[in-house]
Amino acid sequence: MSDNTATTDLDVALEKHRVELTGYCYRMLGSSFEAEDAVQDTLVRAWRSYAKFEGRSSLRSWLYRIATNVCLDMLTAGNKRARPMDLTGATPLAQAALTPRPDNTWLEPMPDARVLPTVDDPAEAAVAKESVRLAFMAALQQLPPKQRAVLILREVLAWRASEVAELLGTTVASVNSALQRARATLAERAGQGADAAVSDPLDEEQQRLLERYVKAFEGYDMAALTALLHEDAVMTMPPFDLWLSGPADMTGFMTTLGASCAGSRLRRVEANGLPAFAHYKPDPEKGGFIPWAVQVLEVSEGRITGLHCFLDTARWFPLFDLPLHLEAEADEVEEGA
């Protein structure tokens, strides 16, 4: 076999693991862009040191060991990514102010296709989706880095304790202890915010709820929107630390500070194992619509419990392969003529 063929074969073999490694690094880091950087670093390190790979473990296990070390190195700064409700109390509408925090403060959204490998087992697919949902991701970020790695490897990826111990260079007893502590921390946080109860695929009731949401939002019909919101629903808008609680404050914000979003258009995307939309608002200068947010929705008991609007569209829309402008449809042009 020629060197070129061997190199190509290695590239193909490494690339097969990109999506699952991105999912792992994303759960570890809470950042879509840092996760992709970590995976690229992992694959480069693997490529450079492949000659030293002795095959005592599988290529996949070896890659996870490298990825874990990369992530642990990146986490030594101690930054814990969060949602706005993890940092401050809810702000009454009358006191609402849009105060941004640095990008590295926030838990970031991620397209499903970049972190969820295609699997045949529905139960395995459901676990994978649940493990990238925003509430679970936020809880993960509260764990010390090694506990985070243990919990993900054991609970999400279903590795044996002995395999995790070998990967981390520690004992089975140490792995089991770390897992117990991680589970206890997650249990303490379980009551903080409603869990998203989204079936996979969406059931008929959930599909109808989303259809009604799109109609209400695009029509900027606050009465219809209120009917879809849980009484404890929350709205967040990273990079701003403001978050609102309850339908009255949410719709009140949308008709005051958020009034320019009237007449918007929503396009369905898949993010964090949850229903999500690309939100385009009217472009007053050029016509048509411009990017405004990636909305990620949490749903429980037939109502929307969370509306998370990620506003840094210069970062998110390219990540989701979304166009940066929508043309007005023919009927809209005629109405405006």
Side-chain angles (χ1 to χ4, degrees):
M1 184 183 295
S2 70
D3 289 345
N4 286 342
T5 302
T7 298
T8 301
D9 289 348
L10 178 57
D11 288 341
V12 170
L14 295 177
E15 196 63 31
K16 285 179 181 176
H17 297 278
R18 181 179 291 274
V19 173
E20 65 170 314
L21 288 172
T22 305
Y24 176 61
C25 294
Y26 176 59
R27 295 177 185 99
M28 285 289 291
L29 301 170
S31 163
S32 24
F33 293 103
E34 286 184 1
E36 295 199 330
D37 288 346
V39 171
Q40 193 59 33
D41 190 5
T42 295
L43 297 180
V44 168
R45 291 189 192 189
W47 198 91
R48 288 176 176 166
S49 59
Y50 186 71
K52 300 175 185 175
F53 174 53
E54 297 174 355
R56 286 180 295 191
S57 62
S58 68
L59 177 64
R60 179 172 181 259
S61 298
W62 183 59
L63 289 172
Y64 269 94
R65 181 180 295 116
I66 298 171
T68 300
N69 289 332
V70 169
C71 290
L72 292 177
D73 287 345
M74 293 173 73
L75 289 166
T76 52
N79 182 52
K80 294 180 180 178
R81 290 179 176 266
R83 304 167 300 172
M85 67 276 277
D86 299 322
L87 302 179
T88 65
T91 306
L93 178 60
Q95 300 170 21
L98 297 177
T99 306
R101 295 203 189 191
D103 289 340
N104 65 1
T105 305
W106 304 117
L107 180 64
E108 296 178 348
M110 183 62 114
D112 284 359
R114 291 181 181 254
V115 291
L116 298 176
T118 303
V119 294
D120 295 328
D121 182 354
E124 187 180 339
V127 168
K129 278 199 167 188
E130 288 167 9
S131 70
V132 293
R133 289 179 181 163
L134 295 174
F136 183 77
M137 288 286 299
L140 279 178
Q141 304 311 302
Q142 300 306 308
L143 300 175
K146 286 197 174 178
Q147 282 187 32
R148 205 179 303 178
V150 167
L151 185 110
I152 295 166
L153 290 164
R154 291 281 284 119
E155 302 274 279
V156 178
L157 301 176
W159 285 39
R160 294 191 295 271
S162 58
E163 294 172 321
V164 178
E166 183 181 351
L167 181 144
L168 293 174
T170 187
T171 64
V172 169
S174 176
V175 166
N176 288 336
S177 175
L179 181 59
Q180 269 189 320
R181 294 196 301 274
R183 284 173 172 166
T185 301
L186 294 193
E188 287 172 10
R189 290 180 56 88
Q192 300 179 20
D195 288 331
V198 183
S199 64
D200 180 31
L202 295 178
D203 62 30
E204 288 186 21
E205 180 186 9
Q206 290 166 347
Q207 290 283 15
R208 285 196 298 271
L209 174 65
L210 296 183
E211 289 166 7
R212 291 169 64 198
Y213 172 73
V214 170
K215 184 177 180 181
F217 193 95
E218 292 189 342
Y220 234 52
D221 182 340
M222 294 301 126
L225 193 57
T226 296
L228 305 179
L229 297 173
H230 192 278
E231 61 182 7
D232 296 324
V234 299
M235 180 179 181
T236 69
M237 292 163 277
F240 302 115
D241 58 13
L242 169 74
W243 66 281
L244 301 162
S245 179
D249 277 3
M250 291 170 65
T251 56
F253 179 90
M254 291 170 68
T255 54
T256 54
L257 290 175
S260 64
C261 291
S264 290
R265 293 292 173 265
L266 300 181
R267 297 293 180 265
R268 185 68 190 274
V269 295
E270 302 293 335
N272 291 86
L274 293 165
F277 296 93
H279 171 192
Y280 291 84
K281 76 172 188 175
D283 184 346
E285 296 180 1
K286 300 179 181 177
F289 303 89
I290 53 175
W292 188 245
V294 169
Q295 300 181 356
V296 182
L297 275 60
E298 293 173 317
V299 176
S300 183
E301 298 176 352
R303 291 287 184 271
I304 295 167
T305 57
L307 173 56
H308 304 287
C309 304
F310 296 91
L311 301 179
D312 191 353
T313 55
R315 302 175 79 214
W316 306 132
F317 274 53
L319 181 73
F320 282 80
D321 296 321
L322 290 163
L324 298 180
H325 189 268
L326 285 185
E327 298 297 335
E329 295 174 7
D331 56 345
E332 293 167 337
V333 173
E334 288 172 12
E335 286 174 14

